[in-house]
Amino acid sequence: MKKFFEDIKKDIKFKSAGPGKKLTEDTSSKPEPVQSSSTVKNRHVPSQGAQMAGAAALARIEQQQRPKVHTSHDAIRNQGGTQTQHYRVTVCGGSKVKDPSCLSVSGVYFICPLTGAILTKSDREVHIKEAILMRFEEDAIEASVMMIHTFNKDRDKVKAAVDIISKYVENVCKNPTEEKYRKIKVSNKVFQEKVRCVEGTREFLEALGFISAMLPVEGQEEDEEFLVLPEQSPDALELMKERRDRLQRGEPVRAQLDRQPQAFRSSPNAQRFELPPEFYNLTAEELKKEQQQRSDLVEKNSMLRTKAMREREEQRERRKYNYTLLRIRLPDGNLLQGTFYAWDRLPVLFTFVRESLVDGWQPFELIAPGGQKLQQSEEVALAECNLVSHMETYEHVVL
């Protein structure tokens, strides 16, 4: 039986060897290929110019560095999102596209809204105070309003002082001829506890026209200090009302976060984030120690904690970060980078991207690293979108 199957195999092999040859034929010649019954199109030999162009293109490809192939699902999805675009987006404002040698920022900086100066976190309060004090020469009312709302951190005390001063002005305007409404006893308990303790209130009253005077007090031997307002004309009273309204509408002068917008060429370094300690509430040493502890206990904790417990811990982790550095990959391959507060809302991010583009009027979408489509209309903080971390935070624009 074994010999039977071997004979069948030999017979099949003999038949598949093709047509026979004479012993006198040259064995070096190759057998003609057997053409199938289907129609075969004749291929023309490339011209000399085409061959030269192909050789030059092949040489260029060989000289280029082969990009690293990302095999993760998220990376493939992100790459596909940018390869299907039809529009080229460029960054406006005259900013040049920089080399990817230093993609991260050197620190967190702020812009003084009064002077436009770039400040560090430690210098911003001192600089703003100096800038407000310098404005007294130009507009004492404006400067004193800024003092009241900026120099005092307790908003409840500020509101109470503003309400009392507003009452002073209202009484004067309703009773312009009555002297008692145009005098404020400095030692008065309400004035001492509610007004004088708030920095800038005396400067505002003096800007309204109140002057310091030592006046006699009935039943006392020594004179006491009063703030006295001279009798006002009807026009002056209207001006006092307008200044009172400015006091009520006042807001604290706060240094604005410098977004430090930068444009970069695409590079493998784009996914490397080296952030300074200013981005965290904890010190760098504390973060390293805590990260090591989490690494040691991650397996044990994942087994003992429920999903709700893990979500609460993630919320606590997000609150550790004050700022976040975001990079947005544009359809043309360039990167747009900006610094944000961790509690900034999504509309802030959309506005930043729109203002950075030449064609900002075009509609676009923002897609988070995990494929989540961000909604401009949602008042959600960046931390709640998992866009705040000491690790990579990466987005790209889809037009």
Side-chain angles (χ1 to χ4, degrees), residues 275 279 322-326 338-342 382 387-389 393:
L275 301 178
F279 273 75
N322 292 323
Y323 312 99
T324 180
L325 183 69
L326 299 183
T339 304
F340 299 85
Y341 286 110
L382 299 178
L387 296 178
V388 177
S389 174
T393 305

Side-chain angles (χ1 to χ4, degrees), residues 9 17 34 86 90 108 153 178 206 230 253 256 301 329 366:
K9 290 180 180 179
V34 179
H86 304 285
T90 55
V108 178
K153 305 301 182 184
E178 295 193 28
E206 291 176 352
V253 178
Q256 302 168 355
N301 289 341
R329 186 169 67 243
L366 287 178

Side-chain angles (χ1 to χ4, degrees), residues 139-153:
D139 189 340
I141 289 292
E142 181 184 25
S144 58
V145 169
M146 291 180 182
M147 282 186 66
I148 293 172
H149 290 279
T150 306
F151 291 12
N152 305 280
K153 305 301 182 184

Side-chain angles (χ1 to χ4, degrees), residues 126-137:
V126 175
H127 180 89
I128 288 178
K129 285 187 176 182
E130 292 177 351
I132 290 175
L133 295 176
M134 290 176 63
R135 296 182 79 88
F136 269 96
E137 298 179 359

Side-chain angles (χ1 to χ4, degrees), residues 72-118:
S72 66
H73 294 292
D74 292 341
I76 294 173
R77 179 164 51 248
N78 290 342
Q79 291 176 2
T82 59
Q83 291 173 354
T84 58
Q85 307 315 313
H86 304 285
Y87 301 99
R88 180 177 179 83
V89 181
T90 55
V91 181
C92 67
S95 58
K96 297 181 180 179
V97 178
K98 299 183 179 181
D99 292 329
S101 57
C102 52
L103 290 177
S104 298
V105 292
S106 59
V108 178
Y109 299 96
F110 301 85
I111 302 175
C112 176
L114 302 179
T115 64
I118 305 298

Side-chain angles (χ1 to χ4, degrees), residues 42 61 123 324:
N42 295 327
I61 293 174
D123 296 336
T324 180

Side-chain angles (χ1 to χ4, degrees), residues 340-358:
F340 299 85
Y341 286 110
W343 57 85
D344 274 339
R345 305 291 175 174
L346 285 179
V348 175
L349 175 60
F350 276 83
T351 302
F352 169 76
V353 174
R354 182 171 289 106
E355 292 178 349
S356 300
L357 302 178
V358 173

Side-chain angles (χ1 to χ4, degrees), residues 7-62:
D7 293 338
I8 293 177
K9 290 180 180 179
K10 291 180 180 179
D11 186 54
I12 294 174
K13 185 176 181 180
F14 178 81
K15 291 181 180 179
S16 62
K21 302 181 183 62
K22 296 180 180 180
L23 296 176
T24 59
E25 289 183 354
D26 186 9
T27 57
S28 62
S29 61
K30 296 181 180 180
E32 296 180 359
V34 179
Q35 296 185 355
S36 61
S37 58
S38 60
T39 304
V40 179
K41 295 183 180 180
N42 295 327
R43 298 184 61 184
H44 299 285
V45 179
S47 63
Q48 184 178 0
Q51 293 179 5
M52 294 176 63
L58 181 60
R60 288 195 301 268
I61 293 174
E62 291 177 350

